[in-house]
Amino acid sequence: MIKGNGRPVYEGVAIGRIYVLSKEHEITNTKCSDIEKELERFHQAQEKAKEELGVLYDKTLREIGEEQAAIIEVQSLFLEDLDYIEGIEDMIKSGSDAAFSVHEIGDAQATAFASLDDEYMKARATDIRDISDRLIRILTGADQSFRMDEPGIIVSEDLTPSETVSLDKDKILAFVIRQGSSNSHTAILARVMNIPSLIRTDIDIDSALNGRTMIVDGFEGNYYIDPDDETMAQMLEKKKSAGEYKAELEKFRGFESVTKKGQHVSLFANIGSPDDLKYVISGDAEGIGLLRSEFLYLGRDDFPTEDELFEAYRKVVETMGGKKVVIRTLDIGADKKVDYFNLAAEENPALGYRGIRICLTQRDIFRTQLRAIYRSSAYGKVAIMFPMIISVSEVRAIKEFCAEIVKELEGEGVCLNPVELGIMIETPAAALISDLLAKEVDFFSVGTNDLTQYTLAIDRQNEKLDSFYDPHHEAIMRFLALIASNAHKEGIWAGICGELAGDLSLTDEFLKMGYDELSVAPSRVLALRKNVIESEV
Ligand code: PEP
Ligand code: MG
């Protein structure tokens, strides 16, 4: 038995045969004598790749959603990119074989993209590799199509967007990937498909693994190849209990989240874009407690327009049909970087120019968002929440600006519904002055991810500090109790939207503190409702 591990991106246990998705091409530089003919061959391959991507785009849009389809669109653009195409043509003109030229130029450009600081540009390296692989396959006539005859576990170095959408999704039991990040295409797909998966694993990719039995434990982040009888028995048991637990949770669908003693708590969902709405519905969330607006700004080359933002917000608000939608304004900066914001490199980005600090100093960006959000209020029940607050003066400046926007829109004859204004409590400063802040706003939502980072002075992105990052730390519990109490003294509601809200071992504590709302990943809602309904508090 071989045992290894990686970082789990979705929990559960999968058992099945391994399918190695290998990407090796045999490419040699055969000098070509007829340059014109080789250029013509390359241009035909370029056209064929465009056609294939067109088909793939439609399939992705139908089966997965707009966000993934946009990635395919980006790849089509590379087929027109002058640096890329002329680079290849120049190599062919100097006598190189077309496939070899694509390989060399693709590799050089992918390496250049991968070395950039910007996360969006880094991710383009995968797109360049993907498009180059496609061209090479067409040029060499190699059949790269990957078929799964029976359900199994995909083992691969990494998966490109077009590989993921080309896979027969009904047959995938799990992914075990060597590379990837929590935001990689594979991780996104794993969450979309609710299948246990590991990224950043230590697995040695070798075609000899094909057909061997593998177990993926997405709870612990372990995988087992050729498991021994004892491991197999343990994992079968774990899989069975996971299945039973999931089935049991279904009993809580459609119920109100009220404790035995009659305490009510709203169980809302955290989302990043309208594409996530299907999970809000399948998860049975009672509203949206955190719409992370910055996701509408990621993965693009320029700022979204007011109408683009409005359409995204409207879709969410309308789909929720009168249930509350808490929209957080842009929290860009720190780990979420976008090239077109031209943010300078900082020594301490988490303590730097991020969130509300950008909005308050770049009012045009703030105005566009706020206009879009207020316009969406006509379609349901909207609340706006502001991140990274540290002072009363910031809140007053925000409220003034919001009033200005409302006046402006009303002057234009735009229909608006009343909108609650709230703040995230995610800095120790805001927690400590929550008594003063509560007088200014309609609600609080505690961002425990940042509140923990700033209270414990631990960078939440630094994996080396994982063992020190203790969200149950007494300091955090005291802050949480203080924040809820200060909110209630002023008669406003308080929620938690950081990861801690979904920590089932703390539900009773949060109920005792009197939290009115807990906002979690959509797939966590039913488990949390079970906890609330069965609570003795
Ligand atoms: C938080 O900080 O807890 C939070 C919900 O915001 P984000 O994770 O987006 O910073
Ligand atoms: Mg935060």
Side-chain angles (χ1 to χ4, degrees):
M1 175 173 89
I2 302 170
K3 181 180 174 189
N5 55 61
R7 186 189 286 192
V9 289
Y10 196 80
E11 58 202 27
V13 175
I15 304 173
R17 303 239 165 256
I18 296 178
Y19 284 85
V20 177
L21 208 160
S22 163
K23 298 161 193 264
E24 280 169 22
H25 304 284
E26 277 292 323
I27 303 159
T28 45
N29 187 12
T30 357
K31 288 277 166 201
C32 66
S33 45
D34 191 339
I35 287 175
E36 279 313 310
K37 208 164 146 208
E38 199 61 2
L39 275 173
E40 174 63 24
R41 227 165 61 76
F42 169 63
H43 292 138
Q44 280 169 0
Q46 194 183 355
E47 284 314 307
K48 174 103 194 323
K50 275 186 208 163
E51 263 170 49
E52 288 184 3
L53 284 175
V55 173
L56 203 56
Y57 176 85
D58 294 340
K59 180 171 156 57
T60 310
L61 194 62
R62 242 187 355 261
E63 294 180 8
I64 302 189
E66 282 170 29
E67 209 174 319
Q68 290 276 330
I71 295 169
I72 306 293
E73 212 174 5
V74 169
Q75 292 200 357
S76 306
L77 295 179
F78 275 119
L79 283 172
E80 307 284 349
D81 183 85
L82 287 185
D83 274 354
Y84 181 62
I85 298 298
E86 287 180 0
I88 296 167
E89 287 171 346
D90 286 348
M91 255 189 98
I92 298 174
K93 283 178 197 159
S94 68
S96 283
D97 169 80
F100 181 76
S101 306
V102 171
H103 181 265
E104 294 297 291
I105 298 295
D107 206 41
Q109 293 208 358
T111 309
F113 273 112
S115 69
L116 298 174
D117 277 344
D118 182 272
E119 284 305 316
Y120 175 74
M121 297 310 277
K122 251 194 210 327
R124 300 288 70 79
T126 316
D127 291 323
I128 286 265
R129 293 221 155 87
D130 202 9
I131 198 71
S132 302
D133 282 351
R134 181 176 298 278
L135 285 167
I136 291 167
R137 174 179 55 73
I138 296 168
L139 285 162
T140 57
D143 182 12
Q144 289 289 312
S145 61
F146 174 82
R147 273 215 336 270
M148 296 176 81
D149 299 324
E150 57 176 285
I153 296 168
I154 306 262
V155 169
S156 179
E157 191 63 31
D158 199 1
L159 286 173
T160 60
S162 59
E163 277 164 349
T164 49
V165 290
S166 309
L167 293 169
D168 186 351
K169 284 178 267 317
D170 294 340
K171 296 211 172 94
I172 305 170
L173 301 176
F175 291 114
V176 175
I177 306 295
R178 260 188 75 84
Q179 300 181 21
S181 70
S182 313
N183 292 317
S184 63
H185 306 302
T186 318
I188 293 167
L189 191 73
R191 288 192 206 108
V192 168
M193 294 168 56
N194 298 354
I195 56 170
S197 294
L198 312 180
I199 57 168
R200 303 243 190 121
T201 57
D202 52 7
I203 195 161
D204 282 326
I205 314 266
D206 182 339
S207 57
L209 291 176
N210 267 316
R212 286 163 75 178
T213 301
M214 179 183 247
I215 302 177
V216 178
D217 178 352
F219 293 101
E220 301 298 330
N222 294 327
Y223 66 84
Y224 305 87
I225 299 170
D226 303 330
D228 56 31
D229 292 348
E230 195 189 336
T231 309
M232 180 58 96
Q234 275 173 5
M235 290 296 141
L236 278 170
E237 196 47 45
K238 202 167 186 176
K239 185 171 162 56
K240 193 167 151 233
S241 6
E244 284 166 359
Y245 179 63
K246 226 172 159 184
E248 195 196 324
L249 292 182
E250 281 304 311
K251 285 194 253 161
F252 296 88
R253 184 176 292 280
F255 279 84
E256 248 197 298
S257 306
V258 187
T259 64
K260 289 179 183 156
K261 291 186 184 155
Q263 184 177 347
H264 184 271
V265 56
S266 300
L267 301 185
F268 284 10
N270 295 347
I271 64 167
S273 79
D275 286 349
D276 298 335
L277 283 166
K278 47 187 177 290
Y279 311 113
V280 174
I281 290 155
S282 67
D284 201 29
E286 299 156 27
I288 292 183
L290 170 62
L291 194 172
R292 287 180 161 102
S293 283
E294 56 278 11
F295 283 93
L296 305 173
Y297 290 71
L298 298 176
R300 327 174 29 108
D301 296 329
D302 204 352
F303 289 96
T305 62
E306 180 183 318
D307 280 346
E308 280 174 322
L309 290 172
F310 163 69
E311 277 309 322
Y313 294 135
R314 185 193 54 78
K315 192 164 173 199
V316 175
V317 174
E318 209 169 42
T319 307
M320 291 310 289
K323 290 179 179 163
K324 191 179 287 185
V325 177
V326 181
I327 301 174
R328 173 173 80 183
T329 56
L330 185 64
D331 188 15
I332 219 85
D335 56 314
K336 297 172 202 135
K337 285 274 191 310
V338 179
D339 231 21
Y340 57 82
F341 273 74
N342 288 323
L343 299 175
E346 293 175 306
E347 286 261 318
N348 291 303
L351 303 182
Y353 189 50
R354 63 170 287 194
I356 201 67
R357 299 166 187 183
I358 294 182
C359 289
L360 283 173
T361 47
Q362 299 196 49
R363 294 291 178 109
D364 284 353
I365 298 176
F366 204 19
R367 173 184 303 280
T368 307
Q369 279 174 84
L370 288 172
R371 282 181 57 95
I373 300 175
Y374 272 108
R375 282 171 59 195
S376 75
S377 72
Y379 298 82
K381 196 168 181 182
V382 170
I384 312 179
M385 164 162 95
F386 304 93
M388 288 299 293
I389 295 296
I390 55 167
S391 71
V392 170
S393 59
E394 279 169 346
V395 176
R396 292 196 178 142
I398 291 166
K399 287 198 304 186
E400 244 174 65
F401 197 55
C402 285
E404 213 178 279
I405 302 282
V406 170
K407 212 166 146 201
E408 192 175 286
L409 287 167
E410 282 173 347
E412 292 167 24
V414 179
C415 228
L416 306 176
N417 269 329
V419 169
E420 281 186 324
L421 295 183
I423 53 171
M424 291 194 71
I425 304 286
E426 52 182 351
T427 62
L432 278 169
I433 59 161
S434 50
D435 53 337
L436 306 178
L437 293 168
K439 296 182 199 301
E440 303 287 333
V441 293
D442 299 316
F443 67 95
F444 286 160
S445 185
V446 188
T448 48
N449 309 337
D450 276 318
L451 186 60
T452 308
Q453 148 165 278
Y454 296 126
T455 305
L456 305 185
I458 289 180
D459 178 354
R460 67 191 247 196
Q461 304 293 328
N462 190 337
E463 286 162 38
K464 276 197 215 118
L465 301 176
D466 275 359
S467 61
F468 294 93
Y469 185 95
D470 173 17
H472 291 209
H473 194 290
E474 181 57 23
I476 306 300
M477 293 302 121
R478 288 191 195 184
F479 266 152
L480 280 162
L482 177 74
I483 295 161
S485 152
N486 280 336
H488 293 151
K489 272 185 206 154
E490 290 299 331
I492 65 168
W493 64 268
I496 305 175
C497 64
E499 289 299 306
L500 208 60
D503 185 329
L504 300 178
S505 69
L506 291 174
T507 312
D508 279 355
E509 276 307 303
F510 297 151
L511 286 167
K512 280 186 215 158
M513 291 175 188
Y515 275 95
D516 307 279
E517 178 242 33
L518 298 172
S519 193
V520 295
S523 58
R524 293 267 180 272
V525 169
L526 286 175
L528 199 50
R529 183 172 300 140
K530 175 180 188 297
N531 248 19
V532 171
I533 290 179
E534 292 176 350
S535 173
E536 300 292 340
V537 169

